[in-house]
Amino acid sequence: MLFRRLDEKRASAIITFDGKPLAAFEGESVAACLLRHGVGFTRLTPSGAKRAPYCLMGACFECTMTVDGHTNVQICLTRIRDGMVVERSSDI
Amino acid sequence: MTRDRYDIAIVGAGPAGMAAAVEARRLGLSVAVLDDQPAAGGQILRGITRPMTGHYEKWGQPLASAFQASGAAHLPGAAVWAREGSRLLYSMNGETRSLVAGALVLATGSMERPAVVAGNTLPSVVTVGALQSLMKGSGCVPAGRFVLAGNGPLLLLCAIQFAEAGARPAAIIQTTPSSRLLPALPKAAGLLFDPALLMKGLGLLVRTRSLGIPLHAGARDIRIDGTAQAETIRFRARGRTMEMPVDLVALHDGVVPNDNLAVSLGAKTTWNCELSCYELVMEGVTKVAGLDNVWAAGDSVAIHGGYQAMLAGRLAALDAAHTLGFVDAQSHKTATAPLLRQRRRLLAARRFLDAYYAPTLLPEQAPDDATLCRCEEVSVGTVRRKIAEGAAGTRALKAATRCGMGPCQGRQCTVSLASLLAHEIPHAQFERPSLRVPARPITVAELAESHLGMRHTGSDA
């Protein structure tokens, strides 16, 4: 894994990514959660290249995903909510 | 309960925005602070209202506490995308809302300068600021073998913060050329006006040594390779080529103003050749030239750092309050004079930092296969070729290459585009390519539901 939590607390929420449950923590961003779980990429470019979160502050738009049915959500600016459903955009 | 009418709206809840809010409230104005981040603090003070690490500037906590107690309405997760008259439109949880404010203060801070190196778009290549954001905002640190590469004071500062949190970088690959120190030294006298900054810089070097983080100085020609993610980083240092296996690379090359919102509202910018970035054209210290009742403060105007941003935020609030008639001329002068004096003194110290840490990962130093525009996948080579074929201005280049037409709306490539152009054609046309409404991408469905775009009132939408 590329990332780990600083604390050893138990997960306080569950989100669904591509149909699978991921342990999550209230307060962390969706991007942090996916990175911790080793989700390798968040979107494909028009030419098919894989891209992953890059700036983590809302400026690069590499982390845009579909969250609870809303398309093109910047997941670095979105906090975890229990039960959230996260998917890669449907056009890939 | 948030209202929809305020004396002043502030965009950004970093040092400038929080300080502006506190000052405006003190002067009796009703204040709304809209911020696209999920919590107050901006970048430098990210997570300060719920600290997970102890790494904050000592002025940060008092400022954040004052902000929380100020009575300003704080709207986190609010991305402002247009201004129609005195009405601001913003997107929040996929829905557009609006509020009316007589004055607007832009405190949108800075963003990291795009690092143009080969391999910069591979997954597991991030910015140093991104790692700091993950640590301070989400309590999350790198677990694999990672390196920090690039230039600027943030490199050492973050390496130390990660190491102290138990995530020691495998190396710092520093691209600041050692040949810069001598020419920058005449400007170092200004550091004496900011001894805290000088001591902080020296302290960082000492601490990096004592933590045993390998430091490769004077590195150049950085190249990252891998298939599904970054796997190796190569660079030249001390006359030889080094190659290291990595799981993650964090790049940094200083910061530039995050001014997209200002520009989309119609603010003018000029290209600063020395600093290789655009700067907002201002009237005086805080008023945005040419825009009625719009002020700006902090790093969104010019990169002066967090403490200076706090001073500028207070100045912007005082200037706005004076224009709106909340403060008379004499009180305004009495309150602003000491802030302006302190600002001038501290600015002298920036000159050394600007010269010594001038950018190093610019597209002009990158090979043809490095990506310049991430969204539209335009390589440095393509832009070079279009310049050679006659695209002699930023707008012509945008049209010829599609740089800046993707979802990030030029946030990641406009500065690189102008910088490469300046290198190839020093007297080119640097006028900033237009940014149009919406200042943030929103879906057509959201726009339609809002009934507010394009001055529709709803009845005929």
Side-chain angles (χ1 to χ4, degrees), chain A residues 1-6 27-29 32 36 40 45-47 50-51 53-57 59 61-62 71 74 77, chain B residues 37 43 50 110 121 123 125-127 130 133-134 138-143 166 247 374 377 408 411-412 440-441 443:
Chain A
M1 287 299 159
L2 289 181
F3 290 92
R4 63 173 172 83
R5 291 280 300 177
L6 273 172
E28 73 178 344
S29 68
R36 271 194 309 103
T45 63
S47 80
K50 290 174 178 170
R51 294 284 175 82
Y54 172 71
C55 79
L56 276 301
M57 61 157 283
F61 292 73
E62 296 285 21
T71 54
Q74 292 173 277
L77 298 178
Chain B
Q37 303 294 324
Q43 303 307 325
R50 272 190 2 171
S110 63
T121 55
V125 176
V126 298
T127 66
S133 155
L134 285 168
S138 295
C140 176
V141 290
D247 299 314
R374 302 177 69 92
E377 305 181 270
C408 93
R411 285 173 175 84
Q412 291 292 317
R440 294 292 284 255
T443 62

Side-chain angles (χ1 to χ4, degrees), chain A residues 22-66:
Chain A
L22 300 182
F25 295 81
E26 308 276 355
E28 73 178 344
S29 68
V30 177
C33 180
L34 296 196
L35 287 169
R36 271 194 309 103
H37 285 280
V39 170
F41 69 101
T42 43
R43 72 175 192 106
L44 291 179
T45 63
S47 80
K50 290 174 178 170
R51 294 284 175 82
Y54 172 71
C55 79
L56 276 301
M57 61 157 283
C60 77
F61 292 73
E62 296 285 21
C63 71
T64 51
M65 299 186 89
T66 300

Side-chain angles (χ1 to χ4, degrees), chain B residues 78-105:
Chain B
V80 175
W81 61 263
R83 180 176 185 245
E84 293 181 355
S86 55
R87 184 172 290 275
L88 283 183
L89 307 185
Y90 62 96
S91 175
M92 203 176 197
N93 298 323
E95 191 185 304
T96 282
R97 304 170 193 191
S98 76
L99 60 79
V100 171
L104 174 63
V105 174

Side-chain angles (χ1 to χ4, degrees), chain B residues 8-30:
Chain B
I8 190 168
I10 296 163
V11 181
M18 289 196 291
V22 171
E23 190 70 24
R25 285 295 300 142
R26 197 180 64 77
L27 299 167
L29 284 76
S30 58

Side-chain angles (χ1 to χ4, degrees), chain B residues 159-200:
Chain B
I160 292 165
Q161 291 179 353
F162 302 141
E164 287 176 347
R168 199 175 75 150
I172 299 170
I173 300 165
Q174 203 170 40
T175 51
T176 317
S178 49
S179 59
R180 266 193 198 156
L181 191 56
L182 273 179
L185 271 183
K187 295 174 177 169
L191 281 175
L192 299 175
F193 291 102
D194 193 354
L197 184 69
L198 179 61
M199 290 315 291
K200 196 170 142 188

Side-chain angles (χ1 to χ4, degrees), chain B residues 117-123 125 222-226 230 251 369-371 374:
Chain B
V117 303
N120 56 349
T121 55
L122 279 168
V125 176
I222 288 179
R223 172 170 208 100
I224 306 159
D225 286 299
L251 299 169
D369 65 335
T371 298
R374 302 177 69 92

